[in-house]
Amino acid sequence: MDPPVEDPPAVEEIVVTGTRTGRRLGEEPVAVEVITREDIERSGAYDVAELLDQHPGVDVNRDVLGASVRLRGLDPDQTLVIVDGQRIVRGAGGVADLSRIPLESIERIEIVKGPASALYGSDALGGVIHVITRPASSSEASLQARAGAPVSGDASASVSAAGKPGGIRATGGWHASPAFDLDPSDVATDVDRQIQGGGTLRLDPDLGVAWDMPMSGSYTRTDAQGVDTTEGGAVLDRRTLTEEAVVTVRPSVLPDEHSRLSFHAGFSLLRDQYLSDQREAAALDVYEETWETLGQLSSQYDRHVGGMLLTFGLEGFLEAVRSPRLEDGAGDRQRGAVYAQDEWKVLAKPRLAVVPGVRVDLDSQFGWYPAPKLAARLDPTAAVTLRSSVGLGWRAPSFRELLLRFENPTAGYVVLGNPDLDPERSRTVDAAVEWEPARALELSVSGWWTRLDDLIDITGTGDLATGGAEFVYTNVDEARTRGIEATVGLRPADPVGLDLSYTLTDAWNLSDDRPLSGRALHRGTVDFDWTVPVTGTRAGVRAALVGERPFFLDEQIGVFGAPSDEPTIAEPYALVDLRVAQRIVEGLDLFAGVDNLFDAGEPDLLPIPPRLFYAGIDAHLRERTKEPAP
Amino acid sequence: MSRPLTLALLPIVSACAPDLSGELDPGPPPSLPPGGVLIDATSETDEVGFDLDAGVVVDTTEPAWDLSFLRYNVRLNGGVSGDGNVEAAVLAGVAYEDVVEAPETGFATDAPDADGDGIDELVFAGWYDYDLVDHTLSPADVVYVVRSTEAADHKLSFLSYYDHAGTPAMITFVTALLEGP
């Protein structure tokens, strides 16, 4: 008889990202790393970027376009970021800005490293960051507020009620941080002043055992302000006002005990206003308004057949953008996809699972693109897990790369999009060993090798009549990344936890025969947590230790020219956060901490907020539930 | 699907945030240096002419123009660039104040490309120095003597490629009529 499709019990942690099917954490055939709500609350992080920056193997990249992530040394636009299955709209800059995702709305973050285009399609070369928002499955209220020095503040609240008709949750938040000038010799700021506010409403109607239909709507507004200077001495007051509204409906049904049918309908609307106001003149004034919409529809059918869980899916995207930076002021694209996967439990003892999968996308810009993947998991003993996978990844050219027309009269150049671009492609092989010799100790070592082809870069095409230069996006570059990641998890006693990681990332630009810009060869993380149950005290240290990073200035935003032979080396740095929380009464905690203890950061190559002291209050009110019968 | 949903979400988005387009501050008008001339050469496509004899900006479709400006490109109304027979001499290493009369020799006009780089040989090609690190233009240490459409000699020295607010292609220079020999 076929085993039933797993209906995830609420008490166990279920991950969905690795195979797009619900799996209990620890049993998933494709490795998934999870940052839980508890991890978020004890981290003291002020946004998703800071939270991820101290996660093993995750490298946060910050520039004027926002905060984005690199996985396995690949570019930020080669990692897919989704929220409840809905892709993040990348906006005018083409970057999935993590700072637009409010922390208070997040239940957990799942991270899958390695190519996932066989399930998710475009952008999933380095992996997938899947943000899952808080459900409305319980009755509770929470409030958090904190103030920091230099002057900054956060306040967020979440209220949910669950009953017979279903659950409802409302979440809202407000965050403010000042601008920072890491180079006092000029008037330019290096970190923007930012005010963010927004809210989410989520409904989980109770439709019976077989049905599930979470619905959510959110609105986020991010107001970033900073001061720029030009080489000629102009001072520009810059303001970027970004609004994003997202609605999703995700019904699923269990037609019988062996299968599940699920749907996703989502729509995202992004409005981005960019204002650059020249002081004492108007010649360099710029106002640009960008609108971008993304409609996403998908359906998926999972069915157990013998020892296999078969998955079939259909997915479609409608994207449109209107921006003065595009050649015709607007662009649109449509993409449809079909995918299939087989989670095949080949052997029960020793446990062996094989997961072949393939996805084919049809894009209105460049036609067909297939992406297969084969993953396997072997548990030779109860304490050891071996994983390996081989797969292809790809990234569709962005609107910016296809249709841009950007003129920089100050520097005298023009950058043009190229409608004939092909997708960027990757081939990856990886393997991992996980060993749990004792309940208190977990060890893992993984390695990967990725070859990248048809990478899109800007190349010069000649001189303009005015003497400036013209550049165009082309599929020219090749690259390779490979590396090793090792982690140690130590739980010597219940109140003490220590997680350590080290990542070696060798990222090489094969076209220019030099390292890829901005990647550190060595990177480590430390996460220490200590709880004293008697006093209700909890203390933690989180740190990211990053080695030297080579930067090639011709690869930086706004700088074009021939490849530079000598890199600019960014010094190693340590990003260390400390935090202490004290329980006053049940449901009420006070906390204090310091972010960026050693004041890391510099204007050009590490523009992050300087040391920040903060203190705040955290209040929770939960409905008392009956203890389950023994 | 997109359009109805866009229209549905539009009021949410546009009602929540102010429209920033009205917040641009034009600032005060550009200031001129004493005795100087300011040329707005910020257009990427339209040349701006200047009549040295009258001391005014003119259209390059009129015959009176002596110099034309397009971003950092400066042409003479002579040779390959025009029919006004304007020519100029380049005096290196001398101070503007010390030039009191036109040189007897050294006058040239814009000529067609001679070195095969596809760019005309312009008399004013070297008026600026380019900083490869900062990507900025600064005036070269030269003084020009321009023989105008009315055969009058004017000395000319560039002050800056940027105005007081740092705007590129807002070119300033000083010029004065030289007495004939």
Side-chain angles (χ1 to χ4, degrees):
Chain A
M1 182 180 157
D2 296 339
V5 165
E6 289 170 42
D7 192 16
V11 292
E12 292 190 34
E13 201 164 349
I14 302 298
V15 292
V16 297
T17 310
T19 56
R20 288 185 86 152
T21 55
R23 284 284 168 190
R24 291 184 181 88
L25 188 60
E27 295 183 2
E28 74 284 4
V30 175
V32 180
E33 297 166 25
V34 179
I35 300 173
T36 64
R37 180 75 213 162
E38 187 187 0
D39 294 333
I40 292 170
E41 289 176 357
R42 74 175 177 84
S43 74
Y46 52 84
D47 65 13
V48 175
E50 190 199 358
L51 180 71
L52 292 176
D53 211 0
Q54 287 157 328
H55 187 82
V58 179
D59 178 14
V60 173
N61 183 59
R62 293 177 177 85
D63 57 33
V64 293
L65 301 177
S68 51
V69 290
R70 288 195 192 103
L71 292 179
R72 293 183 167 182
L74 274 67
D75 279 337
D77 56 7
Q78 293 166 338
T79 291
L80 176 65
V81 182
I82 50 181
V83 178
D84 289 334
Q86 177 82 2
R87 283 169 175 262
I88 281 196
V89 176
R90 290 181 178 259
V95 166
D97 183 5
L98 295 169
S99 62
R100 294 205 312 258
I101 307 171
L103 272 180
E104 62 270 12
S105 68
I106 299 173
E107 176 67 12
R108 67 181 190 277
I109 299 175
E110 296 183 6
I111 301 167
V112 173
K113 295 171 181 168
S117 291
L119 277 176
Y120 293 95
S122 177
D123 305 347
L125 293 82
V128 181
I129 307 278
H130 191 174
V131 175
I132 291 156
T133 60
R134 298 167 77 177
S137 56
S138 60
S139 294
E140 61 178 6
S142 63
L143 172 72
Q144 190 185 63
R146 77 172 182 177
V151 179
S152 60
D154 301 80
S156 63
S158 186
V159 180
S160 71
K164 183 59 190 160
I168 180 170
R169 176 182 288 275
T171 303
W174 175 87
H175 312 271
S177 57
F180 294 106
D181 182 6
L182 305 179
D183 179 6
S185 68
D186 61 21
V187 298
T189 55
D190 302 297
V191 179
D192 287 350
R193 166 181 179 262
Q194 187 159 302
I195 298 175
Q196 185 188 71
T200 303
L201 182 67
R202 165 140 174 181
L203 301 174
D204 284 281
D206 186 352
L207 303 174
V209 177
W211 280 87
D212 200 14
M213 193 164 73
M215 295 178 277
S216 69
S218 66
Y219 170 80
T220 312
R221 170 178 159 180
T222 307
D223 187 355
Q225 297 183 45
V227 179
D228 297 330
T229 54
T230 69
E231 295 84 354
V235 180
L236 310 169
D237 292 306
R238 173 176 42 76
R239 185 175 179 190
T240 307
L241 189 54
T242 306
E243 298 166 89
E244 187 173 15
V246 183
V247 289
T248 60
V249 181
R250 294 176 290 132
S252 66
V253 62
L254 303 172
D256 56 58
E257 62 178 352
H258 307 299
S259 57
R260 178 197 300 275
L261 185 59
S262 52
F263 301 90
H264 174 109
F267 186 77
S268 307
L269 175 63
L270 182 86
R271 180 194 188 200
D272 187 275
Q273 295 183 78
Y274 173 83
L275 180 84
S276 182
D277 186 11
Q278 184 184 13
R279 292 184 187 173
E280 298 188 42
L284 300 182
D285 286 356
V286 175
Y287 172 76
E288 292 176 345
E289 186 180 23
T290 297
W291 289 86
E292 191 165 344
T293 58
L294 169 66
Q296 182 175 332
L297 277 173
S298 60
S299 63
Q300 181 172 309
Y301 180 66
D302 307 315
R303 181 169 185 83
H304 272 294
V305 178
M308 298 180 179
L309 174 56
L310 301 175
T311 296
F312 302 96
L314 296 169
E315 199 155 47
F317 302 96
L318 300 170
E319 289 178 84
V321 64
R322 199 178 75 210
S323 168
R325 289 204 174 188
L326 303 186
E327 180 74 38
D328 297 322
D332 63 80
R333 74 193 310 167
Q334 302 82 43
R335 188 184 309 145
V338 55
Y339 60 90
Q341 178 184 259
D342 177 12
E343 293 175 52
W344 180 21
K345 292 177 182 172
V346 182
L347 291 173
K349 207 166 185 180
R351 178 176 168 174
L352 173 64
V354 178
V355 187
V358 66
R359 172 171 167 137
V360 180
D361 282 67
L362 176 60
D363 188 286
S364 59
Q365 290 283 349
F366 54 81
W368 295 95
Y369 207 87
K373 181 177 180 179
L374 178 65
R377 169 180 173 156
L378 172 66
D379 293 21
T381 70
V384 177
T385 298
L386 308 175
R387 299 178 200 269
S388 184
S389 75
V390 55
L392 303 186
W394 62 281
R395 181 182 75 83
S398 65
F399 280 121
R400 176 192 181 90
E401 292 159 339
L402 291 165
L403 306 171
L404 182 74
R405 179 174 181 83
F406 175 71
E407 297 181 18
N408 186 341
T410 307
Y413 64 79
V414 175
V415 185
L416 300 175
N418 178 0
D420 298 323
L421 285 173
D422 290 323
E424 296 183 339
R425 297 178 291 125
S426 74
R427 288 169 282 163
T428 297
V429 179
D430 56 23
V433 181
E434 298 160 16
W435 181 33
E436 192 175 344
R439 278 191 68 82
L441 181 62
E442 294 176 8
L443 305 167
S444 78
V445 179
S446 59
W448 80 90
W449 177 92
T450 295
R451 162 78 189 216
L452 295 147
D453 291 296
D454 287 339
L455 295 181
I456 297 168
D457 199 358
I458 295 169
T459 54
T461 57
D463 295 325
L464 299 169
T466 55
E470 180 182 275
F471 298 87
V472 66
Y473 285 99
T474 44
N475 293 99
V476 286
D477 283 349
E478 298 173 349
R480 175 256 296 149
T481 79
R482 60 188 177 187
I484 294 172
E485 187 170 304
T487 65
V488 179
L490 206 55
R491 306 277 180 279
D494 192 38
V496 178
L498 176 65
D499 291 287
L500 305 170
S501 82
Y502 167 75
T503 308
L504 175 83
T505 305
D506 175 23
W508 199 260
N509 182 332
L510 298 172
S511 302
D512 297 328
D513 194 26
R514 66 186 196 191
L516 284 172
S517 196
R519 278 73 161 172
L521 183 64
H522 306 288
R523 193 172 194 285
T525 61
V526 178
D527 187 351
F528 174 72
D529 188 47
W530 179 45
T531 304
V532 184
V534 177
T535 60
T537 308
R538 187 165 195 176
V541 180
R542 300 176 77 237
L545 311 168
V546 182
E548 286 184 346
R549 294 167 297 147
F551 282 86
F552 294 88
L553 295 179
D554 57 290
E555 291 189 17
Q556 302 310 299
I557 291 170
V559 180
F560 302 103
S564 44
D565 294 328
E566 289 301 320
T568 301
I569 302 294
E571 294 296 313
Y573 67 93
L575 199 58
V576 179
D577 298 347
L578 307 178
R579 180 181 162 98
V580 178
Q582 176 64 51
R583 176 142 300 178
I584 306 303
V585 294
E586 181 65 29
L588 182 64
D589 291 1
L590 297 180
F591 60 84
V594 53
D595 285 346
N596 193 3
L597 178 66
F598 298 118
D599 212 14
E602 58 101 5
D604 298 320
L605 305 178
L606 191 62
I608 59 174
R611 182 168 43 232
L612 172 79
F613 296 94
Y614 64 86
I617 185 169
D618 195 352
H620 288 275
L621 186 64
R622 291 190 176 89
E623 189 180 53
R624 285 183 182 278
T625 54
K626 246 183 184 176
E627 291 296 321
Chain B
M1 183 190 76
S2 291
R3 187 166 293 274
L5 276 168
T6 302
L7 293 173
L9 289 176
L10 204 60
I12 301 172
V13 171
S14 49
C16 291
D19 193 320
L20 300 185
S21 58
E23 294 193 7
L24 286 170
D25 171 16
S31 57
L32 276 175
V37 174
L38 171 69
I39 300 290
D40 181 352
T42 54
S43 171
E44 290 284 331
T45 54
D46 300 329
E47 286 185 321
V48 176
F50 189 76
D51 179 355
L52 287 167
D53 301 308
V56 295
V57 171
V58 294
D59 198 298
T60 52
T61 57
E62 297 174 18
W65 71 276
D66 296 301
L67 302 173
S68 75
F69 301 84
L70 179 66
R71 306 297 298 177
Y72 46 80
N73 299 286
V74 182
R75 289 177 177 268
L76 292 171
N77 186 2
V80 70
S81 301
D83 301 324
N85 297 318
V86 176
E87 52 187 5
V90 184
L91 309 179
V94 296
Y96 175 77
E97 295 77 18
D98 295 340
V99 179
V100 293
E101 61 181 18
E104 293 184 359
T105 60
F107 282 89
T109 192
D110 290 349
D113 176 28
D115 54 14
D117 65 358
I119 301 172
D120 293 336
E121 310 302 331
L122 305 181
V123 175
F124 276 74
W127 79 262
Y128 61 84
D129 292 324
Y130 182 62
D131 187 320
L132 286 169
V133 176
D134 293 338
H135 303 287
T136 52
L137 276 61
S138 55
D141 185 19
V142 293
V143 176
Y144 293 93
V145 175
V146 183
R147 188 157 290 160
S148 70
T149 52
E150 296 182 10
D153 292 330
H154 301 263
K155 64 176 181 177
L156 186 151
S157 176
F158 286 95
L159 299 176
S160 180
Y161 181 63
Y162 308 93
D163 70 4
H164 65 291
T167 314
M170 294 288 278
I171 299 171
T172 49
F173 59 82
V174 286
T175 185
L177 180 66
L178 295 174
E179 296 302 323

